[in-house]
Amino acid sequence: MKKLKYIIILMIFILTACQGEKISLNIVAGEQTISANTEAITDSDEAVNFPAVVRSSGKKPVETEYKGIEVSKLLKDNNINISDYDKITFNAVDGYRVILNIEEILEPKNVYLTFERDGEKLKSKNKGGTGPFQLVIRRDAFSQRWVKHVNEIILE
Ligand SMILES: Nc1nc2c(c(=O)[nH]1)N[C@H]1C(S)=C(S)[C@@H](COP(=O)(O)O)O[C@H]1N2
Ligand SMILES: [Mo]
């Protein structure tokens, strides 16, 4: 009996360890909360590659290529009427948060939700990455407002 217990516990442990991390992104727009289809984002025809310089603390700036979708397009794809709102908050799993004016989102080719860097999927915080989603603001020379591990977008 004891042996069986051990085997069951071990099996549960293995199954839990094998399970991939769930990627989730919630969009809160007024009263409604949308659980975004993350595959629709990463497979989107609207996702583009663009160059960026990454400045991480204590390291030299690195030229890289990010892939992502413009936040304005992401919101439209989720049937959100951006002009109904004034500000947009990006929350990360570690409690980091950045609030932007809606006007900034509407500037063309500036604010992107990215999911790939140099051809590789962004890893989660647990796996030492900056993803699975990272907000990148191209016109921000310094990357303080580039929110890593974004898991919630709130429109108010
Ligand atoms: N989720 C999250 N995003 C974040 C931060 C953070 O602490 N958490 N730090 C910001 C700051 S201050 C900078 S300079 C850049 C790069 O952070 P790094 O120096 O830790 O790589 O990410 C920004 N985005
Ligand atoms: Mo920073």
Side-chain angles (χ1 to χ4, degrees), residues 9-11 17 24 44 83 94 96 138 155:
I9 290 170
L10 191 70
M11 274 175 60
S24 87
S44 172
S83 53
D94 61 350
Y96 199 76
R138 294 179 69 181
L155 289 131

Coordinates of all heavy atoms in Angstrom, one line a residue, residues 9-11 17 24 44 83 94 96 138 155:
I9 N 1.9 9.7 -5.8 CA 2.4 11.0 -5.5 C 3.5 11.4 -6.6 O 3.5 12.5 -7.1 CB 3.0 11.1 -4.1 CG1 1.9 11.0 -3.0 CG2 3.9 12.3 -3.9 CD1 2.4 10.8 -1.6
L10 N 4.3 10.4 -6.9 CA 5.4 10.6 -7.9 C 4.7 11.0 -9.2 O 5.2 11.9 -9.9 CB 6.2 9.4 -8.0 CG 7.5 9.6 -8.8 CD1 8.5 10.5 -8.1 CD2 8.2 8.2 -9.1
M11 N 3.7 10.2 -9.6 CA 3.0 10.5 -10.9 C 2.4 11.9 -11.0 O 2.5 12.6 -12.0 CB 2.0 9.4 -11.2 CG 2.6 8.2 -11.8 SD 1.4 6.9 -12.0 CE 0.2 7.6 -13.1
A17 N 4.9 18.7 -13.3 CA 6.2 19.3 -13.9 C 6.1 19.3 -15.4 O 6.7 20.2 -16.0 CB 7.3 18.4 -13.4
S24 N -1.5 33.6 -20.2 CA -2.8 34.3 -20.2 C -2.6 35.8 -20.3 O -1.6 36.4 -19.8 CB -3.6 33.9 -19.0 OG -3.3 34.7 -17.9
S44 N -1.0 36.1 -35.7 CA -1.6 37.2 -36.5 C -0.9 37.7 -37.7 O 0.4 37.8 -37.7 CB -1.9 38.4 -35.5 OG -2.3 39.5 -36.3
S83 N -11.3 54.7 -28.9 CA -11.7 56.1 -28.6 C -12.7 56.3 -27.5 O -12.9 57.5 -27.1 CB -12.2 56.8 -29.9 OG -13.3 56.0 -30.4
D94 N 5.0 40.7 -12.1 CA 5.8 41.1 -10.9 C 5.3 42.3 -10.2 O 6.0 42.9 -9.4 CB 7.3 41.2 -11.3 CG 7.5 42.3 -12.3 OD1 6.5 42.8 -12.9 OD2 8.7 42.6 -12.6
Y96 N 4.9 45.2 -11.7 CA 5.3 46.4 -12.5 C 4.1 46.9 -13.3 O 3.3 46.1 -13.8 CB 6.5 46.0 -13.4 CG 7.3 47.2 -14.0 CD1 8.2 47.9 -13.1 CD2 7.2 47.7 -15.3 CE1 9.0 48.9 -13.6 CE2 7.9 48.7 -15.7 CZ 8.8 49.4 -14.9 OH 9.6 50.4 -15.4
R138 N 8.6 51.9 -29.1 CA 9.7 52.2 -30.0 C 10.3 53.6 -29.8 O 11.5 53.7 -29.9 CB 9.4 52.0 -31.5 CG 9.0 50.5 -31.7 CD 8.7 50.3 -33.2 NE 9.8 50.4 -34.1 CZ 9.7 50.3 -35.4 NH1 8.6 50.0 -36.0 NH2 10.8 50.5 -36.1
L155 N -8.3 49.3 -19.8 CA -8.7 50.5 -20.5 C -9.7 51.2 -19.5 O -10.6 50.7 -19.0 CB -9.3 50.2 -21.8 CG -8.4 49.7 -22.9 CD1 -8.9 48.5 -23.5 CD2 -8.1 50.8 -23.8

